Amino acid sequence: MKTRLFLILFIYNLSFSQNEKTKIADFLFKQYEFEKAAEQYKKIVVNDEKDSDVYALKQLGDCYYYTSNYNEAEKWYAKVLQKETEKETLYRFSQVLKLNGKEKDSEMQMEVFKKNFPNDLRSKNYDTNFSKQKYDVVNTSFNSANSDFGAYATNNKVYFASARNSNNKKFAWNNEPFLDIYEANYTKGEFSEPVALTEINSVCNDGPITITGDGKTMYFSSESQRLKNYNKIPKDKLKYSKNMIFKASLVNENWENIVCLSINDIAFSTSNPSVSRDGKTLYFSSDRPGGFGGVDIWKVALDANGMPIGTAENLGNIVNTESNESFPFISDNNDILYFASNGRNGFGAYDVYFYEFLKKEGVKNLGNTINTKSDDFAFSFSENTKMGFLSSNREGNDNIYLVKNICQKAIDLLVQDEKTGQIIPNSSVTVLDENKTVIYNLSTDSNGKINFELECNKKYDIVSKKSGYENKVTPIESNKTETNKISVKLAPIEVIITEKEIILGTVYFELNKWEITPQGAKELNKLVNVLIQNPNMEIFVKSHTDNRGSDNSNLILSEKRAQSTVNYIVSQGIESKRFNGKGYGETEPKINCIKCTEKEHAENRRSEFLIVKK
């Protein structure tokens, strides 16, 4: 279990249905000592599994879920579902199946969930749109052996939460130290050694943070314990904190004047702040009343002093679901909200999503260059620098990754007839990179158009195909394309097919040579298209020379030309059994001349394509 999950679990009111059998296990569960609680629940269900109630089985599954032991969670959730279709267990069962690499089983269970709970927002929001934007994601130099997450950059400094301080009190469920806030300088692509922000850190879990655009006001997560304020369960001799958001001001290069915001309450938790650059709006996550279930994302207006005005507003069911939405980040221009969610169809449990307020196109997944089958969260990004940070446990521990935007250029492609200028609908478009690796296999729409994105500063070949037209290869350099509009004009295949032969333009050969010329290849490509369109057709090629040279040398030369023609056709994907050939030397001239002109010689150096089978 990762330390950062306390920022979600601590603000999620765990419910109980305690009985005498589970009393000890429930006490440990409430203390977030999930491994010890699992041992107690397991004793109960192993000794009395046949008659054990669903509650104990579910609690056992949850213990393993919260400690990221997804194989065990899958096992016990399956036992719950054998007894009853419990909503949260069914949803988590679908999640752990995906995390365990069982994609098809996960999809099947999600279909069961959607059928049984069609009005649940997770059912309605399951069909997720995915962003095509690509990012470079690399590990940072300042990660430690403990949990590090929630990086936020401003004014050449990076702030983040970390459990690296071994002198801190240790957290119950994972034996890691409590969180502190750290800062590191960022200069010319290098990070300095992180140092603890001592004026902010306390004996509680502290972090992550957010800072206003002018750099003068910080908001950070901490606990009600900071105010010596606890929730208490006297009968269990249990007390526990709630997350709260605090504000600090920069005074003489130090963070001072720490105050608790009015949006906090001991009855629920408030965490993971993100302030707009103008300092007018604060976004955060909370399990307060009025949400959709689990943890939701909220916002509140701020006055000129950076203090909340009025009540907090839930961002609604476009963003929030019955599961958890957390770690909000508002973009520089206040137009894009990034957040983590485990209530949608992503790549893992927690994925990063975004919502563009002005477009109102719904929530989109940030894509597979950011998200993995592990937990991915706490995404922050600067549109000005095209750089940001991501937190993930993809390598086993919560680490911070540097994120850079990969430049992409939008391409609008139009395919037309070379002679008439008419659009060619439903043509095939293949995009290959410099290594001839296929990047896209696409088709134009009914208007002959297709759009896609290419990485900047690279060379590509665009291969356009349509039955009845010659294939065309269009090389482009994405950084040198002045406009993103490219028009590809395909030449119609002009071929005459009679009962006995296929008449192409003359496939010429150079004097005393048998290699296929570019002009010859162009004509042979037309034949290839005819053979593709007529899969049963078989062809016999007769190759001829002019009358210069000896009869025997011309016969050998024509045989080589026939074989070159056969080899070329076969190289284009036509089965060898469908295409054969023979050289006839100068024995069958097209123009029977003695003192032939160069033009007459050229016409005699030809190939003929006879139809053997249609």
Side-chain angles (χ1 to χ4, degrees):
M1 176 57 73
K2 311 305 175 187
T3 301
R4 52 88 190 170
L5 279 181
F6 98 92
L7 291 167
I8 295 174
L9 291 177
F10 248 41
I11 60 179
Y12 185 64
N13 286 318
L14 300 170
S15 59
F16 307 96
S17 177
Q18 180 175 295
N19 56 51
E20 284 302 314
K21 285 184 180 180
T22 64
K23 187 174 183 179
I24 296 174
D26 289 340
F27 178 80
L28 292 167
F29 192 94
K30 292 174 188 176
Q31 296 273 28
Y32 301 98
E33 297 195 32
F34 297 117
E35 291 184 2
K36 292 180 180 179
E39 292 175 9
Q40 295 299 320
Y41 286 124
K42 198 168 186 179
K43 288 179 183 178
I44 296 167
V45 299
V46 168
N47 293 334
D48 192 21
E49 185 174 332
K50 183 177 180 181
D51 298 320
S52 60
D53 57 26
V54 170
Y55 167 75
L57 292 168
K58 180 182 182 300
Q59 290 293 101
L60 181 55
D62 285 346
C63 285
Y64 288 120
Y65 179 81
Y66 291 141
T67 51
S68 302
N69 188 340
Y70 298 123
N71 286 318
E72 283 295 308
E74 176 189 334
K75 172 184 173 181
W76 295 106
Y77 284 155
K79 292 181 183 295
V80 174
L81 296 172
Q82 288 172 3
K83 294 175 177 288
E84 67 174 56
T85 306
E86 201 278 326
K87 183 167 77 168
E88 291 307 312
T89 300
L90 179 56
Y91 184 77
R92 288 182 182 175
F93 185 51
S94 173
Q95 281 191 312
V96 297
L97 285 169
K98 181 182 291 186
L99 291 165
N100 290 335
K102 301 175 181 178
E103 293 285 343
K104 290 185 178 179
D105 291 339
S106 174
E107 292 284 340
M108 183 175 68
Q109 292 302 319
M110 194 61 206
E111 289 302 319
V112 174
F113 181 89
K114 290 161 67 176
K115 182 179 179 180
N116 281 276
F117 308 103
N119 295 322
D120 191 287
L121 292 172
R122 291 167 292 190
S123 295
K124 295 178 179 180
N125 296 326
Y126 187 69
D127 296 325
T128 304
N129 292 320
F130 293 88
S131 169
K132 295 180 180 178
Q133 177 60 53
K134 296 182 178 179
Y135 299 87
D136 274 328
V137 179
V138 295
N139 213 322
T140 58
S141 61
F142 55 80
N143 285 311
S144 70
N146 293 83
S147 292
D148 303 286
F149 65 96
Y152 176 82
T154 182
N155 299 327
N156 296 320
K157 287 183 180 291
V158 179
Y159 298 87
F160 61 95
S162 177
R164 65 185 64 198
N165 187 354
S166 59
N167 293 322
N168 278 356
K169 179 182 176 182
K170 292 187 176 180
F171 206 46
W173 77 59
N174 63 355
N175 206 33
E176 275 202 350
F178 274 33
L179 296 169
D180 278 340
I181 300 167
Y182 284 77
E183 68 174 348
N185 295 319
Y186 181 70
T187 308
K188 297 181 179 179
E190 299 292 330
F191 296 100
S192 67
E193 184 67 23
V195 295
L197 207 61
T198 54
E199 65 265 39
I200 295 293
N201 293 326
S202 68
V203 297
C204 312
N205 283 296
D206 298 304
I209 69 107
T210 182
I211 297 177
T212 53
D214 60 12
K216 295 181 180 179
T217 305
M218 173 192 290
Y219 298 90
F220 65 94
S221 296
S222 190
E223 296 182 52
S224 59
Q225 181 185 349
R226 194 180 189 108
L227 305 174
K228 297 187 178 353
N229 199 350
Y230 300 93
N231 276 303
K232 297 179 180 179
I233 305 178
K235 66 176 182 177
D236 291 332
K237 299 180 181 179
L238 176 66
K239 64 179 183 179
Y240 57 94
S241 285
K242 285 290 188 179
N243 285 325
M244 292 185 171
I245 296 176
F246 295 79
K247 169 182 169 288
S249 302
L250 190 64
V251 180
N252 298 325
E253 302 301 317
N254 288 315
W255 294 104
E256 301 179 1
N257 304 325
I258 298 173
V259 295
C260 180
L261 299 187
S262 60
I263 55 174
N264 296 311
D265 195 297
I266 195 63
F268 47 78
S269 284
T270 307
S271 189
N272 299 325
S274 178
V275 65
S276 60
R277 289 190 63 79
D278 59 13
K280 293 182 179 180
T281 309
L282 183 69
Y283 296 83
F284 58 93
S285 56
S286 178
D287 65 337
R288 65 190 57 219
F292 293 89
V295 177
D296 281 1
I297 295 175
W298 301 70
K299 69 177 182 178
V300 68
L302 302 173
D303 64 19
N305 297 314
M307 299 301 286
I309 304 171
T311 58
E313 176 186 346
N314 188 290
L315 263 59
N317 61 8
I318 294 178
V319 170
N320 295 308
T321 70
E322 283 88 346
S323 286
N324 296 318
E325 282 67 45
S326 193
F327 296 99
F329 175 79
I330 189 67
S331 65
D332 295 340
N333 298 322
N334 302 333
D335 56 348
I336 304 176
L337 177 76
Y338 299 92
F339 63 96
S341 173
N342 67 347
R344 300 171 184 276
N345 180 25
F347 298 94
Y350 282 92
D351 272 10
V352 179
Y353 297 82
F354 68 99
Y355 176 64
E356 297 177 89
F357 290 108
L358 298 179
K359 290 186 178 181
K360 296 182 179 178
E361 295 176 345
V363 167
K364 290 184 179 181
N365 186 293
L366 208 51
N368 62 3
T369 56
I370 289 294
N371 294 310
T372 66
K373 71 174 186 177
S374 300
D375 289 327
D376 304 289
F377 59 101
F379 180 87
S380 62
F381 193 79
S382 169
E383 291 296 334
N384 297 324
T385 63
K386 300 298 180 185
M387 186 187 82
F389 295 94
L390 168 73
S391 300
S392 176
N393 65 352
R394 62 188 63 183
E395 295 181 62
N397 199 36
D398 287 334
N399 283 332
I400 296 168
Y401 297 83
L402 183 66
V403 174
K404 291 185 178 179
N405 194 325
I406 296 176
C407 172
Q408 290 182 289
K409 190 176 188 71
I411 304 294
D412 292 328
L413 186 72
L414 174 66
V415 181
Q416 297 171 281
D417 186 297
E418 184 178 75
K419 287 196 169 184
T420 66
Q422 295 294 312
I423 62 168
I424 303 177
N426 306 316
S427 56
S428 169
V429 176
T430 303
V431 183
L432 302 96
D433 65 12
E434 291 178 281
N435 299 319
K436 304 306 178 187
T437 301
V438 175
I439 305 301
Y440 297 114
N441 268 322
L442 306 167
S443 295
T444 60
D445 60 19
S446 58
N447 295 313
K449 296 179 179 180
I450 189 69
N451 57 73
F452 48 89
E453 292 184 334
L454 296 177
E455 194 171 331
C456 299
N457 305 317
K458 289 192 175 183
K459 295 179 181 179
Y460 298 88
D461 283 335
I462 299 175
V463 183
S464 304
K465 302 178 183 179
K466 178 68 176 180
S467 177
Y469 291 86
E470 295 178 33
N471 298 344
K472 185 165 185 179
V473 178
T474 308
I476 67 167
E477 291 186 46
S478 55
N479 59 319
K480 293 183 179 179
T481 308
E482 293 182 3
T483 174
N484 63 352
K485 296 183 183 298
I486 297 176
S487 177
V488 173
K489 293 180 170 58
L490 300 185
I493 295 174
E494 297 176 345
V495 178
I496 299 173
I497 303 176
T498 70
E499 284 296 315
K500 295 183 178 180
E501 67 178 314
I502 296 174
I503 303 172
L504 305 176
T506 306
V507 179
Y508 292 116
F509 292 89
E510 294 181 11
L511 179 64
N512 291 326
K513 293 184 178 180
W514 57 86
E515 292 85 0
I516 301 297
T517 64
Q519 181 276 339
K522 184 176 180 180
E523 292 302 314
L524 291 176
N525 285 340
K526 296 176 183 179
L527 179 58
V528 170
N529 276 283
V530 171
L531 291 171
I532 290 173
Q533 294 172 42
N534 298 272
N536 295 319
M537 183 177 285
E538 295 179 8
I539 299 294
F540 181 80
V541 59
K542 297 173 68 174
S543 186
H544 306 275
T545 67
D546 58 33
N547 60 10
R548 289 178 288 192
S550 68
D551 290 352
N552 187 57
S553 63
N554 280 337
L555 193 62
I556 293 171
L557 179 61
S558 65
E559 184 66 30
K560 288 182 177 179
R561 287 176 175 171
Q563 192 57 49
S564 289
T565 303
V566 171
N567 290 343
Y568 181 84
I569 296 295
V570 171
S571 75
Q572 302 304 302
I574 302 301
E575 291 181 276
S576 58
K577 67 180 183 180
R578 298 178 59 197
F579 200 85
N580 207 345
K582 183 179 178 181
Y584 287 80
E586 60 184 85
T587 61
E588 296 183 3
K590 184 176 182 181
I591 300 175
N592 200 353
C593 54
I594 297 175
K595 293 184 178 181
C596 304
T597 64
E598 282 302 319
K599 181 180 179 182
E600 290 170 331
H601 280 311
E603 290 200 38
N604 282 331
R605 298 193 302 271
R606 72 197 189 281
S607 293
E608 297 172 300
F609 304 94
L610 306 182
I611 298 173
V612 177
K613 178 183 176 182
K614 279 193 175 182

